């Protein structure tokens, strides 16, 4: 008998791009996730279930074994710290950059800099590596507003097209990391359920490769 496998998916913008990759690996939800209020979904395989949760909760579920595997942005994984997780696949979706940004043409900050972000740990580590001590202000969204309102000198946030920064009179200043979504596996699950997980990873890797080839053709 096959062991039960649970995959935690980030709801929001990653989900739409994740489902075609799962489908290419022959995992298809039994009903339409987008029109349902359910949190757990059966799939075409009786032993595989999907749970759909907030992006920031995915590493926590996988770390503590609430799910065997999951899909999360590298930004979220960096902030979480990655304890207890393997990160075997870059899904090459939801690509963006994690950046320091500030008001356009802002002067260098005198004294201790105030940085608004939801990526508190990543921000602390980034500035500490540069030998800079900064005051970090935790926000949960609309980071771009913080420098405008005088709450912070800089922000650390996701930048893709740069439209949100530009629309608010900000500009990117320093690149922290390239971001994409990753497939993660809990360390105990990888050990105990390896026989079932490895073929799934192989299929996903094939689907990523096929998509890459299609793009470059
Ligand atoms: P939550 O709603 O739980 O606070 P969130 O708002 O960060 O999370 P999403 O906006 O769905 O969730 O983003 C999920 C992931 O998509 C992010 O962790 C990041 O990896 C990536 N991402 C975020 N913004 C962009 C963007 N503008 N372009 C491309 N990818 C992005
Ligand atoms: C994300 C991020 C930026 C924006 C960047 O926000 O926090 O605000 O996208 O993308 P851009 O460079 O293409 O403009 P999102 O739209 O996810 O809203 P959020 O504030 O809910 O996170």
């Amino acid at each position: 008998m096959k062991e039960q496998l649970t995959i935690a998916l980030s709801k929001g913008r990653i989900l739409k791009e994740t489902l075609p990759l799962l489908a290419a690996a022959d995992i298809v939800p039994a009903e339409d996730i987008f029109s349902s209020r359910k949190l757990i979904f059966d799939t075409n395989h009786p032993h595989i279930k999907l749970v759909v949760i907030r992006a920031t909760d995915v590493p926590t579920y996988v770390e503590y074994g609430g799910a065997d595997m999951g899909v999360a942005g590298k930004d979220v994984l960096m902030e979480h710290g990655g304890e207890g997780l393997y990160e075997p696949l870059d899904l090459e979706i939801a690509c963006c950059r994690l950046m320091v940004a500030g008001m356009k043409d802002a002067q260098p900050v005198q004294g201790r800099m105030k940085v608004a972000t939801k990526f508190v740990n990543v921000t602390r580590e980034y500035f500490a590596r540069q030998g800079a001590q900064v005051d970090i202000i935790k926000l949960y969204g609309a980071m771009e507003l913080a420098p405008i309102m005088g709450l912070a000198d800089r922000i650390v946030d996701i930048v893709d097209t740069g439209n949100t920064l530009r629309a608010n009179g900000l500009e990117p200043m320093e690149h922290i990391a390239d971001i994409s979504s990753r497939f993660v596996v809990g360390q105990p699950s990888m050990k105990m359920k390896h026989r079932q997980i490895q073929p799934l990873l192989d299929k996903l890797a094939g689907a990523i490769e096929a998509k890459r080839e299609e793009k470059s053709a």
Side-chain angles (χ1 to χ4, degrees), residues 100-131:
V100 181
M103 296 306 295
K104 197 167 177 304
D105 304 322
Q107 297 301 308
V109 178
Q110 303 297 328
R112 224 172 140 112
M113 187 153 78
K114 286 185 282 179
V115 186
T117 187
K118 65 176 169 186
F119 303 103
V120 171
N121 298 328
V122 174
T123 299
R124 191 182 304 106
E125 279 163 34
Y126 175 75
F127 283 103
R129 269 204 310 275
Q130 305 193 336

Side-chain angles (χ1 to χ4, degrees), residues 10-15 17 53-57 72-77 93-97 118-119 140-141 157-162 164 179-181:
S10 297
K11 66 177 180 186
R13 73 171 74 229
I14 296 181
L15 189 57
E17 290 189 80
I53 55 182
R54 281 190 77 156
T56 42
D57 289 336
K74 182 67 182 173
D75 50 332
V76 167
L77 295 169
I93 58 173
C95 298
C96 49
R97 288 153 289 150
K118 65 176 169 186
F119 303 103
Y140 293 87
D157 197 12
I158 293 297
V159 179
D160 178 21
T161 60
T164 311
I179 302 296
S180 55
S181 296

